[in-house]
Amino acid sequence: MEIQETFLRAILATVARQTFSPARILEIINAGEKQHRAFNLCDGTRTQAEIAKELGFDQGNFSKTISRWIDEGIIIRVRENRETRPLHVYPLPEALIKKETKK
């Protein structure tokens, strides 16, 4: 990762944390542990199809989920070469995910 990309991701995460609390992101995701894991896998290194395959999701349904997350502002799509990759505003802490799924 180039230094400019690192700085831009840090800026995005900082601004996003002021806009969306982890609790608000969980509220938007509004699903189980697999959806939370999917959100965290949206780190810009994998395509949408790779994430769906890794977690065993139906690609069509996961596409709708990604679109909803984009509409809510917690995911953006980044283009790398000819592929687009979902990028979360910042990852959710694993401890928070475990706490939420125990409810």
Side-chain angles (χ1 to χ4, degrees), residues 56-73:
F57 289 151
D58 174 77
Q59 287 191 19
N61 286 338
F62 189 56
S63 180
K64 290 176 187 173
T65 298
I66 291 287
S67 293
R68 185 174 57 81
W69 290 348
I70 289 169
D71 290 345
E72 292 284 349

Side-chain angles (χ1 to χ4, degrees), residues 35-95:
Q35 291 287 337
H36 298 146
R37 286 182 51 217
F39 177 80
N40 276 353
L41 288 175
C42 294
D43 60 3
T45 64
R46 298 168 184 84
T47 64
Q48 185 174 308
E50 290 168 339
I51 295 168
K53 184 177 179 181
E54 184 172 332
L55 295 175
F57 289 151
D58 174 77
Q59 287 191 19
N61 286 338
F62 189 56
S63 180
K64 290 176 187 173
T65 298
I66 291 287
S67 293
R68 185 174 57 81
W69 290 348
I70 289 169
D71 290 345
E72 292 284 349
I74 62 171
I75 295 277
I76 60 172
R77 282 195 174 109
V78 294
R79 183 173 278 294
E80 187 175 308
N81 299 321
R82 294 184 152 209
E83 295 181 326
T84 59
R85 298 167 186 268
L87 175 65
H88 51 54
V89 290
Y90 64 88
L92 292 171
E94 288 297 321

Side-chain angles (χ1 to χ4, degrees), residues 2 5 7-8 16-17 37-38 66 70 81 87 102:
E2 292 184 27
E5 184 178 344
F7 286 140
L8 289 172
R17 286 176 195 274
R37 286 182 51 217
I66 291 287
I70 289 169
N81 299 321
L87 175 65
K102 287 182 181 179

Side-chain angles (χ1 to χ4, degrees), residues 5-48:
E5 184 178 344
T6 301
F7 286 140
L8 289 172
R9 285 184 187 224
I11 292 167
L12 172 65
T14 301
V15 171
R17 286 176 195 274
Q18 298 300 313
T19 306
F20 300 104
S21 68
R24 178 65 182 129
I25 290 176
L26 284 171
E27 195 177 290
I28 291 168
I29 293 171
N30 190 26
E33 185 179 358
K34 278 181 101 174
Q35 291 287 337
H36 298 146
R37 286 182 51 217
F39 177 80
N40 276 353
L41 288 175
C42 294
D43 60 3
T45 64
R46 298 168 184 84
T47 64
Q48 185 174 308

